[in-house]
Amino acid sequence: MVGLLGLVLSTLAVAQSPPPSVRSCQACHREIVASFLETAHYRTSAAATPQSVHGRFSPGHNMLRTGSPGVYFTMERDGSGFRETAFDSARGWSRAERIDLVIGSGRRGQSFLYWKGGLLFELPVSYLTGVERWINSPGYVDGRIDFERIIQPHCLECHSTSFPLRRAGGAVLYARDYVVGITCEKCHGDGRAHARYQASHPGDSTGRYILNPARFARDRKVDGCALCHSGERDPKAPPFSYRPGEKLDDYFLPAANQAAVPDVHGNQVGLLRRSKCFRSSPDFSCSTCHDVHRPQRDVAAFAQKCLACHQTDTHPMAQEIGGRLLADCIDCHMPNRSSQALQINTPTKQFALYFRSHQIAIYPEVARALLQANGEHRP
């Protein structure tokens, strides 16, 4: 029993430790790596462990009932791991699959994948963190038991660092030497040669054999983020072949509907490009406001980025808004909007999730609502 427990603990420790490519960066960039390991980017996928899975598995909280009579799901956790089980009591039938990989940091929610025959499939039940509820996975029809949604390589391209393919008897399968999460090399390239060089040249600060996106031209900086934040585009190159600093249009076809309004989920770059701030400022990029090396969730802190260019005393509503000008920039000019791309089906209705719009603009109805709310809360 002790030997089995030791094996389990050892396996969990390995699963939670950073991959070799990240550990090689820690020698010289310890503080940056430490903060990056706390970000949603790094945690966007992981092996299923007690640390990475955020769902509730206690009795009374581990079931999803559907609108179809007799069809329901249970989520269970035991010494062997986690699993989802679907039941169709009218047919006296059930099916269980193990939760192998976690998709999503858990800040908003998580979906789950399982291995079968060298391929990955999505499980039908996901977890929504804010309401602490199990839900139908996005796009799944309520009451339908479906374990056969295969995960395409381009889906994994935005939720992992690498996922090599292999051929076996004419079939294309996933290899097991993958790297989950978004790690340093996703933006900086393969750093092994850089680490070897720095080990023998510790005084050289020129950054040999490594990519530094901060030195890219504005469009190439944005392309690095647009790989995963510019909506759905059909590929014209193999998955995971894009390299930071290259032109993204060489790897993906233009969006099918250029006139469509970009969705707030997954097309932040499309919305940002519509913004006057972006169009009027040649150096404006995602990194103007975002530091991907650390968690950033304080909306008021982002307002300081706005105030670097915009003076509060020139605001046309400065008197009405008063001191909140120093904190409300984001809520007023980048409000939360419902996603049309990410829909959740329940037994009674379909609902959308809300995400921060990256189209920096004037939203009169939002401004009115904020002013009214602020007025109601004044002493």
Side-chain angles (χ1 to χ4, degrees):
M1 182 66 182
V2 175
L4 177 60
L5 178 60
L7 177 61
V8 171
L9 292 176
S10 175
T11 301
L12 293 180
V14 171
Q16 293 303 304
S17 64
S21 61
V22 175
R23 294 199 298 271
S24 68
C25 300
Q26 284 179 310
C28 297
H29 306 285
R30 187 167 299 277
E31 290 185 6
I32 292 176
V33 170
S35 63
F36 179 68
L37 295 182
E38 301 299 316
T39 65
H41 277 108
Y42 178 74
R43 296 177 176 181
T44 193
S45 63
T49 70
Q51 290 77 21
S52 64
V53 177
H54 289 198
R56 301 178 72 183
F57 293 87
S58 57
H61 301 285
N62 66 333
M63 181 179 292
L64 173 66
R65 299 190 182 277
T66 75
S68 296
V71 175
Y72 62 96
F73 299 85
T74 63
M75 280 53 68
E76 297 170 299
R77 168 184 175 178
D78 57 27
S80 64
F82 305 85
R83 64 181 175 274
E84 292 187 8
T85 304
F87 294 89
D88 187 339
S89 57
R91 293 194 297 155
W93 178 89
S94 66
R95 176 176 174 178
E97 295 292 350
R98 175 187 169 92
I99 296 176
D100 291 316
L101 293 180
V102 180
I103 300 296
S105 68
R107 190 179 72 87
R108 285 181 173 271
Q110 292 181 321
S111 291
F112 308 99
L113 312 182
Y114 74 96
W115 285 102
K116 184 178 75 172
L119 296 173
L120 283 166
F121 296 83
E122 185 172 4
L123 288 161
V125 180
S126 295
Y127 189 73
L128 202 56
T129 306
V131 294
E132 297 186 323
R133 282 178 48 196
W134 295 98
I135 58 171
N136 291 304
S137 291
Y140 276 70
V141 177
D142 180 71
R144 180 183 298 173
I145 297 174
D146 181 8
F147 285 87
E148 304 305 322
R149 182 187 281 184
I150 193 168
I151 300 299
Q152 302 292 336
H154 275 294
C155 296
L156 295 170
E157 190 167 20
C158 288
H159 286 283
S160 67
T161 299
S162 63
F163 239 101
L165 300 173
R166 63 182 177 88
R167 290 191 174 274
V172 178
L173 308 174
Y174 289 118
R176 292 302 184 106
D177 56 338
Y178 53 84
V179 179
V180 291
I182 301 301
T183 66
C184 311
E185 64 184 88
K186 193 77 170 185
C187 300
H188 295 282
D190 188 342
R192 288 175 293 185
H194 172 71
R196 288 194 297 268
Y197 176 81
Q198 290 299 139
S200 57
H201 300 78
D204 190 342
S205 60
T206 58
R208 296 279 296 275
Y209 308 113
I210 197 72
L211 296 172
N212 185 350
R215 298 174 182 171
F216 294 168
R218 194 265 287 266
D219 287 347
R220 299 293 80 79
K221 286 182 184 179
V222 174
D223 275 353
C225 301
L227 173 66
C228 298
H229 295 282
S230 61
E232 294 187 13
R233 298 173 62 181
D234 291 329
K236 56 181 179 180
F240 294 96
S241 58
Y242 170 78
R243 294 294 176 264
E246 297 182 351
K247 190 176 182 180
L248 192 64
D249 286 345
D250 292 339
Y251 294 83
F252 291 88
L253 296 170
N257 186 356
Q258 296 284 328
V261 177
D263 192 78
V264 290
H265 176 261
N267 200 351
Q268 293 90 341
V269 168
L271 290 165
L272 182 65
R273 285 178 170 148
R274 289 175 165 231
S275 305
K276 185 178 179 180
C277 290
F278 183 85
R279 299 194 309 269
S280 302
S281 306
D283 294 329
F284 195 107
S285 70
C286 309
S287 59
T288 300
C289 301
H290 291 288
D291 180 353
V292 297
H293 296 116
R294 59 182 179 180
Q296 292 178 300
R297 298 298 172 201
D298 183 357
V299 174
F302 278 116
Q304 299 306 310
K305 304 288 186 178
C306 306
L307 297 176
C309 296
H310 300 282
Q311 303 302 313
T312 58
D313 56 3
T314 63
H315 195 288
M317 299 181 68
Q319 285 189 336
E320 293 93 329
I321 300 173
R324 298 193 68 85
L325 273 172
L326 301 177
D328 279 356
C329 303
I330 306 302
D331 283 336
C332 196
H333 295 285
M334 299 178 67
N336 284 305
R337 289 291 197 239
S338 64
S339 170
Q340 302 304 307
L342 198 61
Q343 302 286 329
I344 308 298
N345 294 305
T346 74
T348 57
K349 64 180 181 179
Q350 183 183 79
F351 70 90
L353 300 180
Y354 282 72
F355 298 88
R356 180 77 59 187
S357 174
H358 278 64
Q359 182 168 352
I360 307 167
I362 296 173
Y363 298 86
E365 75 286 2
V366 174
R368 284 194 296 270
L370 282 172
L371 282 172
Q372 182 178 359
N374 292 339
E376 292 174 352
H377 288 91
R378 283 177 186 152

